[in-house]
Amino acid sequence: MKLADGKARAIQHMMVTSFWHPDGTPMSAQQLWNALRQAPGIFQKRSRTALALERARTRSKLLRGLAEKGFGTDRMAEMQRIINAEKSDLFDVLAYVAYALPTLTREERATRAKVRIRAQFTDKQQTFLDFVLAHYVKEGVQELDREKLTPLLLLKYHDSLAYALTDLGRPEEIGHVFAGFQKYLYQPQVSGPGPTV
């Protein structure tokens, strides 16, 4: 499919999924695509989009903004399906739609982030972050929301926040680690072939 920006995008056009306008009328995959591309305030410079996604609070604001413009969780999942990116991050979907950038899977993002995490965090922190990244890869970007921190700690530390505190430090330190590592998911690759976002 060729869009107004002159760049072509590949979509899976043979789908049984029906798409719907907010008013309840049917729409094509191309109309859904164009509606996302034209939604005001969503597409900014790439670096600002990456910044929005790397900070949990800002990411939540972006997700709310998308939902307010008719692109909630279900609609974004549809967009992932039509570009064959179900295993990709929301950032990859938006970057593909806006800039025709190649997508990475969440697993590829997590693998790249682990390289930087190894240099920035203690062994015990790395073990917890590996656990968080495994959930991110399996479930999606919502696993990085601040509200998920306590449930993830309880899951990892067998329903014992006391054990988590013993292992990882004071609550504010744990919060800093959880928020701080996320930027590594969205930073450009240091070297080697492949996409740089």
Side-chain angles (χ1 to χ4, degrees):
M1 168 173 49
K2 193 143 185 155
L3 298 178
D5 63 4
K7 295 180 182 175
R9 310 295 199 287
I11 66 167
Q12 289 183 245
H13 60 282
M14 299 300 287
M15 294 182 59
V16 295
T17 306
S18 295
F19 304 107
W20 303 94
H21 284 283
D23 65 8
T25 59
M27 65 191 304
S28 69
Q30 178 138 5
Q31 287 172 317
L32 173 66
W33 182 283
N34 289 334
L36 177 59
R37 273 206 41 84
Q38 295 166 8
I42 292 177
F43 295 107
Q44 309 154 0
K45 293 182 179 178
R46 270 187 295 201
S47 58
R48 290 191 64 196
T49 303
L51 183 64
L53 286 165
E54 81 182 33
R55 294 199 171 101
R57 194 175 76 228
T58 311
R59 182 178 52 249
S60 295
K61 183 179 177 183
L62 174 66
L63 292 173
R64 279 193 309 276
L66 283 166
E68 287 167 6
K69 291 171 177 59
F71 290 92
T73 305
D74 292 343
R75 182 68 53 98
M76 291 307 296
E78 291 171 357
M79 187 60 67
Q80 284 179 295
R81 280 193 297 275
I82 67 173
I83 66 169
N84 197 25
E86 289 105 328
K87 294 183 179 181
S88 293
D89 192 286
L90 174 63
F91 170 70
D92 290 287
V93 175
L94 295 176
Y96 184 77
V97 170
Y99 310 109
L101 294 176
T103 59
L104 295 174
T105 64
R106 291 188 302 273
E107 184 170 10
E108 289 168 327
R109 283 200 175 279
T111 299
R112 286 176 20 173
K114 285 179 184 181
V115 173
R116 292 182 175 101
I117 288 169
R118 297 286 174 255
Q120 301 296 323
F121 298 96
T122 68
D123 289 344
K124 289 182 178 181
Q125 291 169 339
Q126 289 174 36
T127 300
F128 175 64
L129 294 177
D130 285 347
F131 178 79
V132 172
L133 285 169
H135 279 266
Y136 160 78
V137 168
K138 183 179 178 188
E139 302 295 334
V141 72
Q142 68 277 3
E143 293 300 301
L144 303 179
D145 289 346
R146 181 70 182 196
E147 301 81 52
K148 291 287 190 167
L149 177 55
T150 299
L152 286 167
L153 286 167
L154 290 171
L155 193 58
K156 169 70 177 152
Y157 292 97
H158 310 291
D159 290 327
S160 174
L161 287 178
Y163 183 37
L165 293 171
T166 300
D167 221 27
L168 299 173
R170 297 185 318 271
E172 57 272 14
E173 290 177 76
I174 297 171
H176 179 71
V177 167
F178 184 73
F181 94 93
Q182 295 184 27
K183 65 184 176 187
Y184 300 116
L185 286 168
Y186 303 105
Q187 286 183 338
Q189 190 171 350
V190 175
S191 62
T196 60
V197 294

